[in-house]
Amino acid sequence: MASSKLSPCLIFLQIIFLVFVFNSANAQLKVGFYKDTCPKAEAIVKEVMDQVMKVAPSLSGPLLRMHFHDCFVRGCEGSVLLNSSTGQAEKDSPPNLSLRGYQVIDRVKTALEKECPGVVSCADILAIVARDVTVATMGPFWEVETGRRDGRVSTFSEPLTNLPPFFANISQLISMFRSKGLSVKDLVVLSGGHTIGTSHCSSFSSRLYNSTGKDGTDPTLDSEYIEKLKNKCKVGDQTTLVEMDPGSVRTFDNSYYTLVAKRRGLFQSDAALLDNSETKAYVKLQSAATHRSTFFKDFGVSMINMGRVEVLTGKAGEIRKVCSKVN
């Protein structure tokens, strides 16, 4: 008798579960998500970004990295954009202090809200902007999947444990990428994003002054390159910016791999790509390429893969009206 009384309840729960599974399966990212609700969305983003890149091309690297930093912490749900009155948000955490361009994201959001109020998420804006700055620096175009929703939580501590540090070895890098559902190939391909942008001396100075080689230098870093870097970065320098891909800082190309192959990758995490057979083979392949080889196509594929990490879709999260604060 007791079991027969519970049957309707169990049936109800099963129905609820099936509805949930159905909605989850259909609330996925897709190209053209805003086709009906905001058909001009990507054109509006591109218009704003074309204006920005004309006057501030140096923001291309930081804006590309912003999408990466967002996706690796809580997934691609815009939490890196949130402010905290007490300085305890992701953007306040040490790994994110070098990010720039938040005002650009706000500018894009304002334009989109004017056209389609409450429709386009901040998380999707980050993904589209990352593609557009890549194209603006003569890099590849890829179709951006959209339909992400924005998260409501942003904490100081999570970037410290989720973002691959610049001093990571290859085992750490592979483990951190795999924890996000990304492959070893995604790791070496997305590292190629270092072809644009700059870095503060403090991010690699330990390789110049506090390592295991002669005079405290890193034996895995080319000696001539060490001297050039020392001329720019003195001990304790916290402010000087250095090009990650010298001579190609504003051009998206495969020259990053040529530098890594010559032991001139700026970060320890760049040099680590030579410590694994798969990543080393890809570095060698791209460094030997007379033209773009497969890198441009690979980069688009890996950016799409990264853009799927732990996304909020369907009814999860929200669509923020202002990217720096929850509704």
Side-chain angles (χ1 to χ4, degrees), residues 129-205:
V129 165
R131 188 270 311 277
D132 287 355
V133 297
T134 302
V135 174
T137 51
M138 296 189 288
F141 174 92
W142 63 92
E143 295 286 357
V144 176
E145 296 177 334
T146 45
R148 300 168 189 80
R149 289 172 66 85
D150 299 321
R152 298 186 177 96
V153 177
S154 183
T155 60
F156 181 93
S157 61
E158 289 186 311
L160 296 168
T161 55
N162 285 276
L163 286 172
F166 48 80
F167 52 81
N169 61 40
I170 192 63
S171 296
Q172 292 171 318
L173 290 170
I174 291 173
S175 177
M176 296 185 86
F177 271 70
R178 281 181 174 164
S179 73
K180 305 300 178 184
L182 297 172
S183 67
V184 174
K185 183 174 182 179
D186 289 325
L187 160 62
V188 66
V189 170
L190 291 174
S191 295
H194 287 173
T195 184
I196 55 174
T198 58
S199 170
H200 286 94
C201 293
S202 55
S203 295
F204 57 87
S205 60

Side-chain angles (χ1 to χ4, degrees), residues 278-296:
E278 184 176 348
T279 55
K280 182 177 181 178
Y282 191 86
V283 168
K284 295 293 186 180
L285 172 69
Q286 299 305 334
S287 65
T290 55
H291 194 47
R292 297 167 182 169
S293 183
T294 61
F295 173 50
F296 274 30

Side-chain angles (χ1 to χ4, degrees), residues 55-244:
V55 297
S58 64
L59 286 176
S60 56
L63 287 168
L64 176 59
R65 286 196 300 127
M66 193 178 289
H67 181 41
F68 178 90
H69 282 225
D70 181 46
C71 290
F72 265 68
V73 182
R74 292 186 164 268
C76 311
E77 41 73 88
S79 55
V80 73
L81 301 172
L82 288 172
N83 287 339
S84 166
S85 60
T86 58
Q88 292 299 307
E90 288 175 30
K91 63 169 57 174
D92 303 306
S93 191
N96 287 332
L97 293 179
S98 62
L99 291 180
R100 297 183 294 126
Y102 294 107
Q103 75 281 6
V104 174
I105 304 301
D106 292 338
R107 183 172 166 183
V108 172
K109 179 63 170 173
T110 298
L112 287 168
E113 285 296 299
K114 183 177 179 180
E115 177 75 17
C116 315
V119 174
V120 182
S121 70
C122 299
D124 276 345
I125 291 173
L126 285 173
I128 298 169
V129 165
R131 188 270 311 277
D132 287 355
V133 297
T134 302
V135 174
T137 51
M138 296 189 288
F141 174 92
W142 63 92
E143 295 286 357
V144 176
E145 296 177 334
T146 45
R148 300 168 189 80
R149 289 172 66 85
D150 299 321
R152 298 186 177 96
V153 177
S154 183
T155 60
F156 181 93
S157 61
E158 289 186 311
L160 296 168
T161 55
N162 285 276
L163 286 172
F166 48 80
F167 52 81
N169 61 40
I170 192 63
S171 296
Q172 292 171 318
L173 290 170
I174 291 173
S175 177
M176 296 185 86
F177 271 70
R178 281 181 174 164
S179 73
K180 305 300 178 184
L182 297 172
S183 67
V184 174
K185 183 174 182 179
D186 289 325
L187 160 62
V188 66
V189 170
L190 291 174
S191 295
H194 287 173
T195 184
I196 55 174
T198 58
S199 170
H200 286 94
C201 293
S202 55
S203 295
F204 57 87
S205 60
S206 62
R207 303 188 74 195
L208 308 180
Y209 300 107
N210 192 29
S211 193
T212 59
K214 182 181 178 181
D215 298 325
T217 60
D218 185 342
T220 67
L221 189 59
D222 177 74
S223 58
E224 291 184 9
Y225 193 38
I226 287 175
E227 294 308 311
K228 289 182 180 180
L229 292 173
K230 279 188 171 183
N231 287 334
K232 295 180 179 180
C233 302
K234 305 305 179 184
V235 177
D237 188 336
Q238 298 288 319
T239 57
T240 301
L241 288 171
V242 174
E243 297 178 355
M244 291 192 289

